[in-house]
Amino acid sequence: MTAAYSLARDVPLHDWNTFHLDARAERLATVHVTAGLPALLAEPALRALPLMVLGAGSNVLFATNRFEGCLIHLRCDSIRIVDDAGGHALVQVDAGCEWDALVDWTLDHGLQGLENLALIPGQAGAAPIQNIGAYGVEVGRFIAAVHVYDRQAGAFDRLPAARCEFGYRDSVFKREPDRRIVTAIELLLPKAGATNLSYAGLREELAAMGGLQPTPRNVAAAVRRIRRRKLPDPAVAGNAGSFFKNPVVTRAVAVELQSRFAGVPVYLTSTEAERKLSAAWLIEQAGWRGVREGDAAMSAQHALVLVNLGRATGPQLLTLARRVAASVQEKFGVSLEPEPRIVGATFQPRRA
Ligand SMILES: Cc1cc2nc3c(=O)[nH]c(=O)nc-3n(C[C@H](O)[C@H](O)[C@H](O)COP(=O)(O)OP(=O)(O)OC[C@H]3O[C@@H](n4cnc5c(N)ncnc54)[C@H](O)[C@@H]3O)c2cc1C
């Protein structure tokens, strides 16, 4: 019988984060059976340590050489259809399932909705944390509930979507980090209907693929082609995807920016009072696209991606990111907020 969990000491994290930083962790707990979580958390050796869940490490920046705590990694990865009646299916997915494998599984089972989120790295359990989004779709739209172990309550819980407080790259889980360990998610996925082509580049990509019909499978293929072309591959240059969130500002600020800077892209949000700006545009206009400081760089391929070109350290990457944010603040008066979790430091824009 498989043990519910295993514990390791002094663990190198190079292969546990997509920046490929050479940090280490005091402890790493690998959880094979989520029912074993209470026993794991009660281990005397762990009681005094800070705990953090680590999925595939595709949205974290270790800004410290050593995490003096215990990382918890969930391995359970089953997927099952819980309810198949009517035009939707309710699918329950264990936290340790690889996200992109899940996207393919849903397509293989005639379900749609997740095709625009194809090729996002990471585990399913991390998807609700920042409400992953891409190409006009956010996962929160399809999440029916999130199953967690609530460390504050010392009990398992099931949060229906309304309690998850999903927003743009945001959720209750992101705002209260490490309180809840996500063990599974429930997705309500349609069996038919139009695919989401609100992102203009998708139509163009389908046309370039020989005028393919916008079926869920073709949309997923188009998304994968665009992503492979646009985003640096973490296997080649360590990165965590977009490093900054697109800033949300008041409508008045957006109008004022448009009057001062020709061509500033401004997008509608769900509220009339707010507008979203393009962080990539702001960074590029501030002159940071392709800028390299040692092995830390802002990607030449995509202005929003901070990359490790070889042997950059977490603090070096963080220094560059802070300088970029300070420069954007100075030029446009707009604050940039990092998207990945920064472990061992806080983020404040700094010129030096
Ligand atoms: C090349 C590239 C492209 C990307 N593109 C996108 C994109 O298009 N859209 C997008 O939204 N993101 C994108 N990302 C970011 C990232 O892939 C997602 O945020 C993903 O969901 C992170 O999954 P992970 O398993 O790697 O989480 P990790 O990086 O390991 O963890 C991220 C955060 O979630 C927490 N966490 C992870 N699992 C759990 C759990 N089970 N319970 C509680 N907390 C947990 C961690 O503590 C941490 O705070 C991209 C990253 C890369 C490298």
Side-chain angles (χ1 to χ4, degrees):
M1 208 173 96
T2 322
Y5 57 83
S6 58
L7 269 171
R9 259 202 132 118
D10 190 24
V11 180
L13 297 177
H14 183 272
D15 297 335
W16 287 84
N17 72 101
T18 56
F19 273 118
H20 304 306
L21 294 167
D22 279 320
R24 298 183 88 85
E26 170 60 24
R27 296 269 188 166
L28 173 73
T30 306
V31 178
H32 304 280
V33 182
T34 49
L37 274 171
L40 168 70
L41 300 176
E43 286 265 357
L46 303 193
R47 268 196 229 139
L49 292 180
L51 302 181
M52 171 184 154
V53 184
L54 186 68
S58 65
N59 214 22
V60 288
L61 170 61
F62 286 99
T64 169
N65 290 337
R66 193 169 180 85
F67 177 67
E68 297 287 356
C70 180
L71 296 172
I72 298 179
H73 179 72
L74 302 184
R75 272 281 158 83
C76 337
D77 62 357
S78 75
I79 311 174
R80 64 196 172 96
I81 293 181
V82 179
D83 186 355
D84 199 15
H88 289 74
L90 186 65
V91 180
Q92 186 162 324
V93 188
D94 284 345
C97 180
E98 191 208 339
W99 177 261
D100 197 44
L102 168 65
V103 173
D104 277 336
W105 187 96
T106 61
L107 294 171
D108 289 347
H109 286 75
L111 301 172
Q112 62 184 75
L114 305 187
E115 54 277 1
N116 296 48
L117 305 176
L119 214 59
I120 296 181
Q123 293 191 329
I129 309 299
Q130 72 156 5
N131 182 19
I132 55 169
Y135 301 97
V137 171
E138 288 179 341
V139 73
R141 208 164 105 192
F142 298 102
I143 290 186
V146 176
H147 294 247
V148 302
Y149 181 77
D150 184 339
R151 293 174 57 211
Q152 199 167 299
F156 287 96
D157 195 5
R158 176 184 176 276
L159 280 75
R163 278 179 63 201
C164 299
E165 299 173 22
F166 290 123
Y168 165 63
R169 299 293 188 275
D170 197 26
S171 71
V172 71
F173 313 109
K174 190 158 183 178
R175 269 174 270 135
E176 296 180 297
D178 306 324
R179 172 175 166 185
R180 300 179 185 88
I181 299 171
V182 174
T183 56
I185 58 175
E186 283 177 38
L187 297 161
L188 190 62
L189 300 173
K191 295 176 185 170
T195 45
N196 184 324
L197 300 179
S198 59
Y199 178 85
L202 279 179
R203 282 183 203 280
E204 287 164 23
E205 198 66 23
L206 288 165
M209 290 162 77
L212 292 182
Q213 290 301 307
T215 62
R217 212 176 269 285
N218 289 342
V219 170
V223 165
R224 289 185 170 123
R225 272 171 54 118
I226 299 174
R227 294 183 72 97
R228 288 200 174 102
R229 201 167 58 234
K230 283 197 170 174
L231 289 170
D233 179 355
V236 178
N239 73 83
S242 302
F243 192 81
F244 294 103
K245 288 163 73 165
N246 286 323
V248 176
V249 297
T250 63
R251 189 160 64 112
V253 166
V255 169
E256 200 257 336
L257 280 170
Q258 280 176 313
S259 71
R260 284 173 51 215
F261 301 98
V264 54
V266 171
Y267 304 100
L268 295 175
T269 66
S270 52
T271 61
E272 186 40 39
E274 290 180 334
R275 296 289 184 268
K276 200 188 277 180
L277 306 175
S278 159
W281 188 90
L282 297 169
I283 292 168
E284 186 157 1
Q285 295 297 310
W288 289 97
R289 184 174 181 150
V291 171
R292 178 172 183 170
E293 293 182 352
D295 273 352
M298 293 311 291
S299 168
Q301 203 177 339
H302 195 305
L304 201 45
V305 182
L306 177 68
V307 287
N308 175 6
L309 294 174
R311 301 191 59 81
T313 63
Q316 285 166 346
L317 288 166
L318 189 59
T319 298
L320 176 58
R322 284 175 171 149
R323 278 157 52 72
V324 169
S327 150
V328 165
Q329 176 77 52
E330 198 169 281
K331 186 171 168 81
F332 298 102
V334 173
S335 304
L336 290 182
E337 196 187 317
E339 202 179 286
R341 174 170 186 173
I342 294 169
V343 181
T346 52
F347 186 83
Q348 258 130 23
R350 266 184 231 156
R351 276 222 219 136

